[in-house]
Amino acid sequence: MRKELRTVYINAIGAHLPNEPIDNTEMEDFLGLIGGKPSRSKERMLQQNGIKTRYYALNKQQEATDSVSGMAAKAITDCLEKAKLAKSQIDFLAAGTTQADLPVPGFASMLHGESKLPVCDIASHQSVCAAGIMALKNAFLHIQSGEHQHALSCAADMPSRMFKASRFAHQAHIQEKGLPLDTDFLRWMLSDGAGAMYLADTPNSKGLSLQIEWIEVKSYANSFEPCMYAGANKAKDGSIKTSWLDYPSFSEADADAAINLKQDIKLVNNTVSLGVQHFFQLIEAGKINPKSLDWLVCHYSSEYFKKPIVDLLAKGGLHIEDEKWFTNLHSKGNTGSASIYIMLEELLYSGKLKAGDEIVCMVPESGRFITSFVKLKVVSGRPETRQHAISKTDEILAPSIHIDNKPIQEKLVRELTDIWVDFELALRNTEIIDRIYKGSITLEDYKLLLLNLRQQVIDGSQWIARAASNVSMDYFDIRSSFISHSRDEHKDYQILEKNFINCGGKQEDLYQTPKNIGSEALSAYMFHKASQPNPFDLLGGMFIIEGLGNRLAGKWGRAIQEELGLANDQVSFFTYHETSDSNDNHFERFEKALNSDLLTEDMANKVAKTAKVVARLYQLQLAELGNY
């Protein structure tokens, strides 16, 4: 049965441009002089490409100040800060580049390590300008299919290292004659930068999102020889017979200029014609309606190519007004695969977009000729008007304990109240609970919470029963209370399981998922305590766990229900405990024990200590969701 495809949104875009902007007069200060001589073609190339400033991850000693993966990691940080999203929520990373820092391993692996994202699915894409679109399409399809919920698509390029003067120091012909046009042309066109997009299946609740309607990529490599390439020299017939890896040594490949990045000038105009041809095909297919187009975000590598694009569109009867074109080529340079990210980042946060705007992104590539298009629609989240069920500004109130006016009991209640305040503060700053308070919890988050609580809930009735078995007959009433409490808790896990299944969880996950490391620690401690003779200090643990049900479970359940639009039978485990753990039931037994003769000063100290330990271990259980 085919799964329903999800709508996908770009909810945040980050960018990173290294160091300070460099104007045209400074370029050779950073890239250096070839053979000690200024470039003969520099001024003409700069006049044609229209770039006024760009960015290099180099200093004037031609030393790298960053890396491709380093720049991409900074773009991810910028993106996630704008999204107000924790790295731990990302479950898929797609990354594209023209040339990574290392031949092996893949770029996405290096970026994954650099960015310190959690264990996740990844995909690497290596091409030229279209590599960024390939990564975006991969992330788009993963969210659309429902395989993942939170994805990052990234692109970064750092061509400055390919063009610094020292790169050509051992190429005798170039030292004598200067760079050939096929390389010098690129030296004045390309610059460094990175971008990152956060994709999800729901739009931002506030502000703008970009809904991805479709992404289309076409390769024409079956019809054309390489145009922009590195790692070889072409034969006269345009073929590539020897790779740089086929040379006897890397030094010989370097000396023969095989490692240089080149662009075959006689072929490059095919980029424009193929891109426009693809544009008209999309119009004919009904995917683009020129009349409803509000923005054309077109990656052209040089201002020189814009006029041919406009002219070819006009020949086909299509005129797109200048005010609908968007580029930042002139101020941020041609950053290759990252260019479309850096352009969309500026446009999204420019204040120029409004809900309903239609955007077409056009990214041609001259590597061996690829054309790619993306259709976006601007959507606006509605400001939150309803009052959330809970807030971090809510007063922290410890569970009420009704006790006799005795010094030992009064002192213990004061200590338990202080412990509770610290406990609830720690919970509010635990990631999963923080999301409940902020209203950013997802259905997958909630299912993970239920799945991780299940084992502890099952163990709860068991350690209470064990504690009861270790209470001597001298305390028959307390023993009976423990047994009654165990009986009440015995089937709680069944409510939790029904909630999990009703939320779309798999039954086999309930039985196959082990305890997380926090649950292991909590259960081990509780069973250890329950195994001691007359383990009345477990009353401290009951205060924390039953108090959590009494004071917080219902609030969490209602907040989750409100945020996710769930039914009662999907959150009943939490809402049920608000009444079952109240003073009319479980807490009454707790109070009865505290008011009995068993509460000596020494026992009161033990109860407080156990409450403090259980509070810390319970918080650890929630902090370690999914860590098995």
Side-chain angles (χ1 to χ4, degrees):
M1 183 176 178
R2 184 173 178 177
K3 294 171 66 177
E4 183 178 350
L5 296 179
R6 300 181 181 183
T7 305
V8 184
Y9 303 88
I10 300 171
N11 285 341
I13 309 177
H16 177 72
L17 294 162
N19 302 318
E20 298 299 319
I22 296 166
D23 67 30
N24 292 344
T25 62
E26 300 177 282
M27 294 179 73
E28 285 184 308
D29 293 341
F30 288 85
L31 296 179
L33 301 176
I34 307 297
K37 302 172 187 176
S39 167
R40 297 190 300 271
S41 60
K42 173 187 169 187
E43 295 303 324
R44 178 163 60 92
M45 292 299 125
L46 289 171
Q47 188 174 6
Q48 288 181 349
N49 66 39
I51 301 171
K52 304 299 181 187
T53 56
R54 79 283 295 141
Y55 295 78
Y56 291 144
L58 291 179
N59 58 27
K60 290 186 178 182
Q61 288 73 48
Q62 299 179 40
E63 298 166 333
T65 60
D66 213 324
S67 62
V68 181
S69 56
M71 291 192 299
K74 292 179 178 68
I76 286 175
T77 298
D78 183 43
C79 178
L80 294 180
E81 286 178 352
K82 289 171 180 172
K84 297 181 172 59
L85 193 76
K87 288 182 178 180
S88 58
Q89 290 186 259
I90 299 301
D91 45 25
F92 180 69
L93 169 67
T97 186
T98 303
Q99 184 168 343
D101 302 300
L102 303 177
V104 179
F107 178 47
S109 292
M110 296 303 295
L111 176 55
H112 185 205
E114 183 78 27
S115 60
K116 306 301 181 188
L117 291 169
V119 173
C120 64
D121 192 354
I122 65 170
S124 296
H125 297 269
Q126 186 274 320
S127 194
V128 190
C129 301
I133 296 297
M134 294 173 184
L136 178 60
K137 185 169 185 176
N138 200 330
F140 164 65
L141 293 174
H142 273 82
I143 299 294
Q144 186 185 56
S145 68
E147 184 166 348
H148 295 296
Q149 267 199 311
H150 305 283
L152 282 174
S153 172
C154 307
D157 271 324
M158 189 178 166
S160 62
R161 291 187 296 197
M162 295 290 289
F163 295 116
K164 59 186 182 181
S166 58
R167 178 71 63 210
F168 310 101
H170 301 293
Q171 298 174 12
H173 180 73
I174 286 175
Q175 290 299 306
E176 180 182 350
K177 302 289 187 180
L179 280 174
L181 187 60
D182 62 358
T183 296
D184 205 30
F185 166 72
L186 296 172
R187 198 173 192 232
W188 313 118
M189 186 185 299
L190 301 176
S191 54
D192 305 342
M197 297 179 181
Y198 164 56
L199 282 66
D201 59 3
T202 54
N204 291 320
S205 60
K206 297 180 181 180
L208 300 180
S209 295
L210 302 178
Q211 179 185 334
I212 302 177
E213 296 191 358
W214 49 260
I215 301 176
E216 192 165 298
V217 179
K218 285 187 176 182
S219 168
Y220 303 88
N222 61 329
S223 302
F224 295 92
E225 65 191 65
C227 176
M228 186 173 175
Y229 61 100
N233 290 310
K234 280 188 180 183
K236 288 184 179 180
D237 63 359
S239 64
I240 292 177
K241 295 182 170 61
T242 304
S243 159
W244 68 291
L245 293 171
D246 295 320
Y247 283 79
S249 68
F250 294 152
S251 299
E252 289 172 78
D254 177 21
D256 197 30
I259 63 172
N260 295 358
L261 184 61
K262 313 170 184 73
Q263 188 163 56
D264 193 328
I265 305 298
K266 68 180 183 294
L267 295 176
V268 72
N269 285 333
N270 287 307
T271 309
V272 174
S273 58
L274 291 169
V276 173
Q277 179 188 70
H278 192 176
F279 196 107
F280 280 118
Q281 288 170 351
L282 291 168
I283 293 173
E284 291 171 8
K287 289 190 168 185
I288 295 176
N289 180 358
K291 293 182 180 179
S292 64
L293 179 63
D294 296 290
W295 297 94
L296 177 60
V297 183
C298 183
H299 166 62
Y300 44 89
S301 57
S302 167
E303 187 67 31
Y304 174 81
F305 292 114
K306 182 180 179 181
K307 188 177 186 305
I309 295 173
V310 172
D311 290 346
L312 283 175
L313 290 173
K315 286 181 180 179
L318 179 59
H319 173 68
I320 300 175
E321 296 86 350
D322 281 345
E323 57 268 23
K324 292 186 176 182
W325 289 71
F326 183 85
T327 185
N328 51 24
L329 173 72
H330 312 93
S331 60
K332 295 183 177 177
N334 175 4
T335 50
S337 64
S339 288
I340 195 67
Y341 291 71
I342 293 169
M343 284 192 282
L344 283 173
E345 188 271 343
E346 183 173 322
L347 180 60
L348 178 60
Y349 302 109
S350 67
K352 297 178 180 179
L353 297 179
K354 62 183 185 301
D357 279 359
E358 293 191 3
I359 303 170
V360 170
C361 303
M362 177 179 178
V363 182
E365 174 185 308
S366 63
R368 196 160 180 171
F369 299 109
I370 295 171
T371 59
S372 55
F373 287 82
V374 182
K375 176 77 181 304
L376 305 170
K377 185 175 182 179
V378 181
V379 297
S380 177
R382 291 174 175 80
E384 194 67 64
T385 55
R386 69 180 185 270
Q387 187 72 31
H388 281 302
I390 52 177
S391 167
K392 281 195 173 183
T393 61
D394 292 344
E395 183 181 5
I396 294 178
L397 295 173
S400 298
I401 304 173
H402 301 114
I403 56 166
D404 298 336
N405 295 322
K406 298 177 181 177
I408 294 176
Q409 279 84 352
E410 289 177 342
K411 178 175 179 291
L412 176 59
V413 168
R414 289 194 298 272
E415 290 179 342
L416 291 176
T417 299
D418 287 342
I419 292 167
W420 180 269
V421 171
D422 290 340
F423 172 55
E424 190 169 341
L425 279 173
L427 286 182
R428 290 184 180 188
N429 291 313
T430 302
E431 188 173 335
I432 186 66
I433 307 303
D434 179 61
R435 290 183 209 164
I436 297 174
Y437 277 92
K438 288 180 177 177
S440 62
I441 190 170
T442 67
L443 184 60
E444 291 302 314
D445 292 335
Y446 177 50
K447 288 193 292 185
L448 184 65
L449 175 62
L450 290 173
L451 196 61
N452 280 245
L453 286 177
R454 177 181 177 272
Q455 285 294 334
Q456 176 256 310
V457 173
I458 290 175
D459 287 351
S461 64
Q462 295 177 0
W463 64 255
I464 296 170
R466 181 175 295 185
S469 69
N470 284 300
V471 174
S472 68
M473 293 303 294
D474 297 338
Y475 299 98
F476 181 80
D477 290 344
I478 305 301
R479 179 184 176 129
S480 297
S481 292
F482 271 48
I483 293 172
S484 297
H485 197 139
S486 175
R487 183 189 64 241
D488 292 345
E489 297 278 350
H490 182 58
K491 293 186 177 181
D492 280 5
Y493 76 93
Q494 294 178 339
I495 303 173
L496 183 151
E497 288 184 353
K498 287 179 181 178
N499 287 176
F500 181 76
I501 297 297
N502 290 341
C503 286
K506 297 178 181 178
Q507 191 166 26
E508 56 265 30
D509 289 343
L510 288 169
Y511 306 129
Q512 295 173 4
T513 303
K515 297 175 188 175
N516 73 38
I517 62 173
S519 297
E520 289 281 8
L522 176 61
S523 287
Y525 180 77
M526 299 303 275
F527 278 115
H528 167 70
K529 283 292 182 182
S531 301
Q532 308 305 308
N534 291 323
F536 299 130
D537 52 341
L538 273 176
L539 292 170
M542 293 171 64
F543 168 76
I544 294 297
I545 295 173
E546 304 302 333
L548 194 151
N550 180 318
R551 286 295 188 192
L552 297 177
K555 294 179 181 179
W556 291 354
R558 287 190 296 276
I560 292 167
Q561 183 175 25
E562 176 188 89
E563 180 63 25
L564 300 179
L566 300 179
N568 291 337
D569 64 358
Q570 292 173 301
V571 296
S572 53
F573 172 75
F574 287 97
T575 54
Y576 154 79
H577 276 83
E578 187 171 38
T579 54
S580 73
D581 293 347
S582 70
N583 284 317
D584 296 332
N585 201 333
H586 293 178
F587 235 64
E588 182 181 4
R589 299 171 187 150
F590 170 73
E591 292 168 341
K592 186 176 180 181
L594 289 188
N595 285 312
S596 70
D597 293 337
L598 68 85
L599 195 73
T600 62
E601 185 173 355
D602 180 60
M603 181 57 66
N605 292 334
K606 291 180 179 178
V607 168
K609 175 67 178 294
T610 299
K612 187 180 293 187
V613 174
V614 171
R616 180 66 187 92
L617 293 179
Y618 201 101
Q619 188 266 335
L620 180 66
Q621 173 181 235
L622 296 178
E624 297 293 342
L625 296 188
N627 186 4
Y628 310 118

